[in-house]
Amino acid sequence: MIIVLAGTPGTGKTSLAKMLSERYNLRYLSLTEFVLEKGIWIDYDAQRRSFVIDPEGVVVEIRREIRKVYRGVVIETHDLELLWEAGIEPLRVFVLRCRPDVLYNRLLRRGWPFSKVLENIEAELTGVLAWQAKVYFPRVACEIDTTLAGVNATVERIARNIENIEKDNTICQSIDWV
Ligand code: ADP
Ligand code: MN
């Protein structure tokens, strides 16, 4: 069982993925941490404070890693194209969303440079991850709005969705900001 949590930074991937992995006894895998651990990055962009990855290396390593995970895994990522290229077939891809003004406050609290906060707000406004989900995982993708709900309520919503998949594979919700 592979569950994917995707979203702009600050939408709640780490918090929710860790809770879900405990609840269902699945492994937790952060794609960003994985890339850093494996050293599959080729450059560091100091201005943007982010690592530039080696996409081919990442795809090969993800494939290898996923084969080792028998019971299942909760993967958090902000790049669904990479998972698609690695041939991952998730049971569900949850795209976590957050209203940009609320996300702005969550990201400012991280002490990130203003330019990095704005870059991510823009990504959320334009719905990059939701778009990627619809392009790469159209049959299993759904959007979850985290703006007003607490972490616990959101985890319950996701759990209900997962547990209902076998009964009704159409329980997906889509939201639009524009
Ligand atoms: P990401 O891994 O996507 O960057 P994190 O889980 O690290 O996100 O951070 C999300 C922050 O937003 C946390 O401080 C979390 O407590 C807060 N938050 C508020 N509401 C929610 C919610 N409904 N779901 C998930 N996180 C939420
Ligand atoms: Mn995270």
Side-chain angles (χ1 to χ4, degrees):
M1 157 148 126
I2 301 175
I3 302 289
V4 174
L5 297 191
T8 310
T11 52
K13 299 182 296 296
T14 304
S15 315
L16 298 167
K18 288 191 167 160
M19 288 167 87
L20 289 167
S21 72
E22 273 175 36
R23 183 171 181 141
Y24 294 111
N25 194 17
L26 304 169
R27 252 198 61 199
Y28 160 78
L29 181 70
S30 152
L31 214 56
T32 308
E33 281 173 19
F34 183 69
V35 165
L36 295 183
E37 273 166 28
K38 295 272 173 191
I40 29 184
W41 48 278
I42 45 181
D43 200 4
Y44 180 69
D45 185 335
Q47 205 183 347
R48 294 174 63 235
R49 286 206 209 166
S50 54
F51 288 88
V52 180
I53 60 159
D54 158 20
E56 278 173 31
V58 173
V59 164
V60 170
E61 289 291 340
I62 297 172
R63 276 204 196 109
R64 189 174 298 159
E65 189 70 15
I66 293 301
R67 258 189 251 120
K68 288 194 255 168
V69 183
Y70 298 112
R71 270 200 63 84
V73 61
V74 183
I75 305 175
E76 77 157 278
T77 181
H78 50 77
D79 190 343
L80 287 172
E81 186 175 4
L82 279 178
L83 285 187
W84 177 77
E85 279 177 0
I88 305 299
E89 291 181 16
L91 182 70
R92 195 59 109 205
V93 173
F94 294 100
V95 182
L96 305 175
R97 302 298 304 260
C98 182
R99 217 173 62 210
D101 57 317
V102 173
L103 188 65
Y104 176 80
N105 289 319
R106 287 190 199 170
L107 293 178
L108 271 190
R109 264 184 255 129
R110 295 187 173 183
W112 280 3
F114 193 59
S115 58
K116 184 162 176 164
V117 172
L118 285 189
E119 187 182 2
N120 283 293
I121 293 303
E122 196 175 287
E124 184 60 15
L125 258 172
T126 49
V128 177
L129 266 301
W131 171 80
Q132 279 194 342
K134 279 170 197 157
V135 170
Y136 296 114
F137 300 102
R139 284 178 303 119
V140 294
C142 44
E143 291 183 284
I144 302 271
D145 186 7
T146 71
T147 309
L148 299 174
V151 177
N152 289 319
T154 306
V155 110
E156 290 308 321
R157 265 187 76 195
I158 293 176
R160 229 179 301 134
N161 187 298
I162 292 171
E163 286 161 21
N164 281 331
I165 286 173
E166 280 174 12
K167 279 183 248 156
D168 179 1
N169 200 33
T170 60
I171 308 176
C172 271
Q173 296 195 350
S174 198
I175 52 165
D176 251 319
W177 298 120
V178 285

